[in-house]
Amino acid sequence: MKTILLIEDDAVLRENTKELLELSDYHVTTASNGRLGLEAAITNTPDIIICDIMMPELDGYSVLDGLSKQEKTMHIPFIFLSAKTERQDVRKGMDLGADDYITKPFEEDEIISAIESRLAKAAILKDRREAQNPDSDKTDTLRNLNDLKNFFDDNGDLFDYGKDEQIYKEGQNSNYVYLILKGIVKCHKLDEKGKELTTALHKVDDLFGYTSFTQNIPYQETATTISETSLVGLSKNELTNILNTNHKLTLELIQLLTDDISGVKNQLLEMAYSSVYKKTATTILKFADKLNCKPKEPIKISRNDLASVAGIATETLIRTISSFKKQGLIEIEGRNIKIIDIEKLKEVN
């Protein structure tokens, strides 16, 4: 059943037309003014729109203009329904991109015939667009980050790595953006003295590896696995094309990048001003979260990785976790750490 959006401010005409169309086996949604109609079309994309011209808040011309600027609504068939019968009014509507123009009062056969004709034309044009761009249907339906991750799963290249393997190195061409299917990845840099600083930890379902979508900028850090890891990678060019046609998804990715920047700033502040004890406690808790460890489940992580994330020397870290052990906050089992009192560990200053 095709869906028609009927935008009409006359309540009686709106309800009568809705009933007429429903009797012809169409699903009809309505809006009482142009602003509400435009919002409805963007929120729940109909198969065809029938719209009055003279309405409060937004007239029909403005509705059509607004729809033509949205990727998801620009191809919806649009029929003006109006008492305005002057030639210049009809011409203005058609010049804006309307598919048809029906004057009030109208006959039932007239409006049904116009709808059927425009839906058929729209189907033909859609087939033509898809034939010219076979992947358009796949990417046009990506509305949020979950949809994007599913697209990675279905279309990305699969990569498997063992523990402590390098995925890419700082300075290499940034060809891929990655999604983690299994494992943990650390991104890190070396200072001028060769000391490693971990800039980010990424777990299952995280995206990483993005630099610039508009410039050919190489990777700004090195990415290495902490455990056995499986990734899917999507080429940066393909991801850029997706973002160009999915503005809502672009905004969600911007928010993700903003959160990443905030996280890095907080990490830098912590490294600059927090005590060694606070840095170590926070890092242990961070690894427990990234590894999805249950209470008192051992954290399998190297001392070097802990020290790198905390931004302290390995020797200093070892002395600090020994102190935590004496306080009963953690237990040490070989190379593994088990959190005993998570609340007290959170309170360490």
Side-chain angles (χ1 to χ4, degrees), residues 47-58:
D47 294 295
I48 189 168
I49 297 171
I50 300 174
C51 183
D52 189 14
I53 292 181
M54 300 303 293
M55 294 182 296
E57 299 200 39
L58 274 182

Side-chain angles (χ1 to χ4, degrees), residues 113-344:
S113 176
I115 291 170
E116 291 176 349
S117 173
R118 297 310 164 186
L119 285 174
K121 178 182 177 182
I124 293 170
L125 293 176
K126 181 181 178 183
D127 289 343
R128 186 178 300 168
R129 289 194 301 272
E130 291 177 356
Q132 293 171 346
N133 185 5
D135 293 330
S136 64
D137 189 54
K138 293 181 181 178
T139 59
D140 286 349
T141 58
L142 304 181
R143 305 302 179 199
N144 52 49
L145 285 177
N146 284 333
D147 288 345
L148 178 62
K149 290 173 182 178
N150 289 333
F151 187 85
F152 266 76
D153 275 341
D154 295 337
N155 300 277
D157 297 325
L158 183 63
F159 301 92
D160 289 313
Y161 295 91
K163 182 182 178 185
D164 297 326
E165 282 196 54
Q166 191 178 94
I167 300 166
Y168 56 78
K169 187 176 181 179
E170 181 178 356
Q172 287 181 343
N173 289 334
S174 55
N175 298 320
Y176 280 98
V177 176
Y178 297 95
L179 173 70
I180 302 178
L181 302 180
K182 181 183 78 172
I184 294 183
V185 173
K186 67 173 180 179
C187 292
H188 53 99
K189 295 174 73 74
L190 295 177
D191 65 15
E192 64 277 3
K193 296 181 180 179
K195 181 181 177 182
E196 180 183 295
L197 171 64
T198 297
T199 54
L201 290 174
H202 299 290
K203 64 181 189 308
V204 171
D205 209 37
D206 282 355
L207 293 167
F208 73 98
Y210 31 74
T211 52
S212 171
F213 295 112
T214 58
Q215 302 177 51
N216 187 23
I217 295 177
Y219 290 118
Q220 300 296 293
E221 54 199 359
T222 299
T224 305
T225 62
I226 289 179
S227 60
E228 288 189 356
T229 299
S230 294
L231 310 170
V232 283
L234 199 66
S235 74
K236 190 170 71 173
N237 288 339
E238 186 169 3
L239 181 55
T240 300
N241 290 335
I242 291 171
L243 296 178
N244 282 336
T245 57
N246 293 273
H247 299 148
K248 184 177 179 182
L249 174 59
T250 302
L251 292 175
E252 289 205 23
L253 191 58
I254 289 172
Q255 183 60 53
L256 178 66
L257 296 174
T258 302
D259 293 341
D260 285 349
I261 292 171
S262 297
V264 171
K265 286 183 177 180
N266 290 334
Q267 181 181 349
L268 290 173
L269 286 171
E270 192 171 276
M271 291 173 63
Y273 298 111
S274 295
S275 68
V276 168
Y277 280 80
K278 179 66 174 177
K279 292 176 186 177
T280 304
T282 300
T283 301
I284 293 172
L285 291 168
K286 185 179 296 184
F287 270 103
D289 175 63
K290 295 293 182 181
L291 290 165
N292 293 316
C293 290
K294 298 175 182 177
K296 299 187 178 181
E297 182 180 354
I299 302 171
K300 300 177 181 179
I301 197 72
S302 74
R303 302 293 188 265
N304 287 337
D305 282 335
L306 281 170
S308 172
V309 174
I312 59 179
T314 304
E315 297 79 6
T316 303
L317 178 121
I318 292 172
R319 288 196 298 270
T320 306
I321 60 176
S322 295
S323 175
F324 287 171
K325 178 182 177 183
K326 291 177 183 178
Q327 297 175 51
L329 303 180
I330 63 173
E331 286 183 1
I332 300 175
E333 301 174 348
R335 296 175 61 84
N336 301 334
I337 295 173
K338 183 189 295 183
I339 299 175
I340 301 301
D341 195 329
I342 191 169
E343 294 304 321
K344 285 188 177 179

Side-chain angles (χ1 to χ4, degrees), residues 9-79:
D9 63 323
D10 185 316
V12 174
L13 180 59
R14 184 172 66 246
E15 291 307 311
N16 288 343
T17 306
K18 179 176 185 289
E19 182 178 353
L20 182 155
L21 297 173
E22 287 176 338
L23 289 172
S24 297
D25 294 328
Y26 290 105
H27 174 66
V28 183
T29 60
T30 62
S32 58
N33 63 54
R35 179 182 61 80
L36 294 175
L38 181 59
E39 292 173 357
I42 294 171
T43 303
N44 298 297
T45 310
D47 294 295
I48 189 168
I49 297 171
I50 300 174
C51 183
D52 189 14
I53 292 181
M54 300 303 293
M55 294 182 296
E57 299 200 39
L58 274 182
D59 63 19
Y61 299 134
S62 299
V63 172
L64 180 55
D65 183 57
L67 294 171
S68 67
K69 295 176 180 177
Q70 299 278 339
E71 182 71 27
K72 65 184 290 190
T73 57
M74 64 190 305
H75 297 299
I76 300 174
F78 192 98
I79 298 175

